[in-house]
Amino acid sequence: MALIVQKYGGASLATPEKMLFVTERIIKEKKKGNSIVVVVSAPGDTTDELIDFAYKLSKNPDEREMDMLLSTGEQKSIALISMALIDKGYKAKSFTGAQVGILTDKTHTKARIIKIKGINKIKEALKQGYIVVVAGFQGITEEEDITTLGRGGSDLTAVALAQALKADTCEFLKDVKGVFTANPGIVKDARKIDVLSYDEMMELASDGAEVLQNRSVEYAKNYNVKLHVRGTFTEEEGTIITKEEDIMEKVVVSGITYNKKEAKISLLEVPDKPGVAAFIFKKIADAGINVDMIIQNISQKGTTDLSFTILRKDIKKIEGVLGEIRKKLQFKKYLIDDKIGKVSVVGVGMKTHIGIASKMFKALADKKINIEMISTSEIKISVVVREEKVEQAVNAVHKAFNLGQKALSVEK
Ligand code: ASP
Ligand code: MG
């Protein structure tokens, strides 16, 4: 008999029909003789709707009250799923985050879990044969204020419970069948990935559609909780996310992601002397703006050109900051380009394999796609191209690495 944590996302709970399907899926697992803890998100787009509602009443909603509001979405799901299970003749019991004592710090809307005080309550209910249904995304502070764990935070609840319960598996049931080598919406032969390391998952998620909340993957990595992302509406195995050492067949490249959320900022003729970059990026950081890629060109006549990318949503904010910086540094001018896209290849095999970057660049060159910026990490290479070339670029790189076929192993 195994102890299984199953997390169902909002899209799998959007309608009564989908909830009934989820109920059957839970029962199937229970019938195998397993102990089941179910973690659920709010149904469908509930959280977005609640946020919109709040912003209709307040320009800057109070964060404590925001958490009070948002936690209601998950509370709906636990009650409905438990009712449905009971209706089918099973013992089920719902718990809010507070009821199982998910103790967090006081950072409303993105609280951190400190510990789970009520884990014995869950164990006791499991012992009595209950299917335990826990509200994701929420916790409680020492002062008994309700908190939430950041968008997508139900994933974190599931990982934290799996860790605390020493569960045999932590499954994420989603409306997609797993993690893919590229977005199947744009790459026809994108393939489901069998196994990924935590780091690869985080790198893949930091750009494209977030399959799992990144904080939850980080938590899983820290505590070594093996994750399984799979489809709600299929029996097929999905994607296992585990520690790198446990991956027998390491592939060179696991997947390709992209985003069209960034803008490129260029500062022309910036004085080239010590302390300038520190000054510029300190100002930008102080404004709460995240910088992604940075390049600095060869210096000419004591000046240099500096380009970097930020999220497009921060463009308005950065204009003010750049104005201020310019007063101090007297650079020539700045350019804002919001028609860029970022394409990245990710794979642990890059650590030991050479030639990945050149292969990627060649694939782009063959399609006459110009690379505007490049950045690399140990397991990722990213390039900036024109926004309208992104789909073509992703397809070209996917093909160059043969990702449509069974993955290429790194030879030892
Ligand atoms: N309902 C919350 C959200 O939409 C938490 C979650 O879905 O995991 O962000
Ligand atoms: Mg959600």
Side-chain angles (χ1 to χ4, degrees):
M1 194 181 93
L3 171 51
I4 297 176
V5 173
Q6 282 197 328
K7 185 262 173 179
Y8 290 91
S12 303
L13 303 163
T15 62
E17 294 71 32
K18 288 187 173 174
M19 284 210 188
L20 281 173
F21 195 95
V22 163
T23 306
E24 293 299 342
R25 176 113 204 197
I26 297 167
I27 290 171
K28 205 179 288 168
E29 216 51 61
K30 178 71 184 165
K31 276 187 178 158
K32 292 180 193 160
N34 295 324
S35 290
I36 321 283
V37 175
V38 180
V39 175
V40 284
S41 291
D45 296 326
T46 307
T47 309
D48 288 328
E49 287 160 15
L50 290 171
I51 292 171
D52 287 347
F53 202 135
Y55 277 93
K56 293 216 165 85
L57 302 180
S58 163
K59 266 208 202 80
N60 186 18
D62 180 84
E63 292 195 326
R64 179 186 183 277
E65 303 313 324
M66 198 62 162
D67 279 349
M68 190 65 98
L69 176 69
L70 296 189
S71 65
T72 62
E74 273 67 15
Q75 197 168 332
K76 275 191 198 169
S77 295
I78 52 170
L80 290 166
I81 290 293
S82 301
M83 274 175 205
L85 287 166
I86 293 165
D87 187 71
K88 301 272 180 211
Y90 287 81
K91 285 169 83 176
K93 213 179 220 179
S94 65
F95 294 97
T96 63
Q99 284 175 318
V100 290
I102 300 187
L103 184 72
T104 72
D105 65 14
K106 297 179 204 167
T107 331
H108 283 288
T109 76
K110 42 183 172 306
R112 300 192 80 87
I113 297 177
I114 298 167
K115 66 173 176 206
I116 303 177
K117 294 207 303 197
I119 205 74
N120 284 333
K121 213 187 249 179
I122 297 179
K123 286 183 182 161
E124 192 47 43
L126 289 174
K127 215 188 281 168
Q128 291 170 18
Y130 283 96
I131 297 169
V132 173
V133 186
V134 182
F137 180 51
Q138 48 181 264
I140 191 155
T141 65
E142 205 69 81
E143 291 75 22
E144 301 195 336
D145 285 321
I146 290 176
T147 50
T148 61
L149 309 174
R151 294 306 306 268
S154 302
D155 292 344
L156 182 56
T157 307
V159 175
L161 288 177
Q163 190 261 330
L165 291 163
K166 300 194 174 50
D168 297 288
T169 7
C170 185
E171 292 186 343
F172 294 81
L173 294 111
K174 309 191 60 86
D175 54 345
V176 292
K177 291 181 185 170
V179 185
F180 280 73
T181 51
N183 178 352
I186 68 162
V187 177
K188 263 208 301 303
D189 62 345
R191 214 175 25 84
K192 190 181 69 199
I193 301 170
D194 295 332
V195 57
L196 279 172
S197 69
Y198 298 114
D199 290 332
E200 285 174 307
M201 183 70 248
M202 285 191 269
E203 292 281 25
L204 285 171
S206 65
D207 278 330
E210 225 175 68
V211 184
L212 290 177
Q213 187 206 36
N214 251 358
R215 270 180 66 190
S216 71
V217 183
E218 206 182 335
Y219 197 99
K221 182 185 176 185
N222 289 342
Y223 293 99
N224 209 356
V225 183
K226 197 193 262 187
L227 312 177
H228 186 181
V229 178
R230 62 194 308 187
T232 302
F233 308 105
T234 165
E235 289 290 308
E236 252 176 73
E237 292 282 305
T239 305
I240 299 285
I241 297 146
T242 188
K243 59 171 196 279
E244 199 182 312
E245 303 85 84
D246 288 352
I247 301 176
M248 301 302 287
E249 256 193 310
K250 291 193 180 46
V251 299
V252 180
V253 167
S254 296
I256 321 279
T257 53
Y258 66 93
N259 84 48
K260 298 178 175 180
K261 295 181 295 199
E262 293 180 23
K264 182 169 83 173
I265 314 291
S266 301
L267 310 187
L268 306 187
E269 296 184 22
V270 181
D272 188 16
K273 52 181 194 229
V276 166
F279 175 77
I280 293 172
F281 291 106
K282 167 94 171 50
K283 281 271 182 227
I284 293 171
D286 287 349
I289 298 169
N290 234 327
V291 172
D292 183 19
M293 298 160 104
I294 302 176
I295 56 169
Q296 185 177 325
N297 283 350
I298 298 169
S299 169
Q300 283 175 339
K301 296 179 267 148
T303 65
T304 176
D305 295 343
L306 193 63
S307 295
F308 53 91
T309 63
I310 60 167
L311 287 175
R312 287 181 199 174
K313 69 170 179 54
D314 289 332
I315 288 180
K316 268 237 144 54
K317 229 198 257 175
I318 204 155
E319 285 185 290
V321 180
L322 292 176
E324 258 180 64
I325 295 174
R326 193 152 168 229
K327 266 187 223 146
K328 174 97 196 262
L329 288 183
Q330 307 293 344
F331 59 84
K332 186 167 171 214
K333 63 173 178 181
Y334 64 81
L335 307 169
I336 296 178
D337 179 355
D338 64 357
K339 297 282 183 294
I340 59 158
K342 186 171 119 183
V343 176
S344 309
V345 303
V346 174
V348 282
M350 277 181 213
K351 289 183 186 175
T352 49
H353 249 62
I354 52 167
I356 310 301
S358 60
K359 193 166 190 170
M360 178 188 196
F361 302 157
K362 167 100 176 28
L364 297 173
D366 287 348
K367 296 282 177 206
K368 305 212 161 17
I369 298 171
N370 188 42
I371 300 171
E372 300 181 25
M373 295 173 96
I374 300 169
S375 78
T376 61
S377 77
E378 210 179 10
I379 62 163
K380 177 174 178 169
I381 302 165
S382 303
V383 298
V384 164
V385 298
R386 286 290 94 204
E387 178 174 2
E388 77 261 16
K389 296 283 187 190
V390 164
E391 277 80 4
Q392 209 193 348
V394 172
N395 271 289
V397 177
H398 194 266
K399 188 146 182 238
F401 287 103
N402 264 322
L403 294 184
Q405 264 96 62
K406 174 103 185 81
L408 203 64
S409 297
V410 174
E411 307 100 49
K412 288 265 160 65

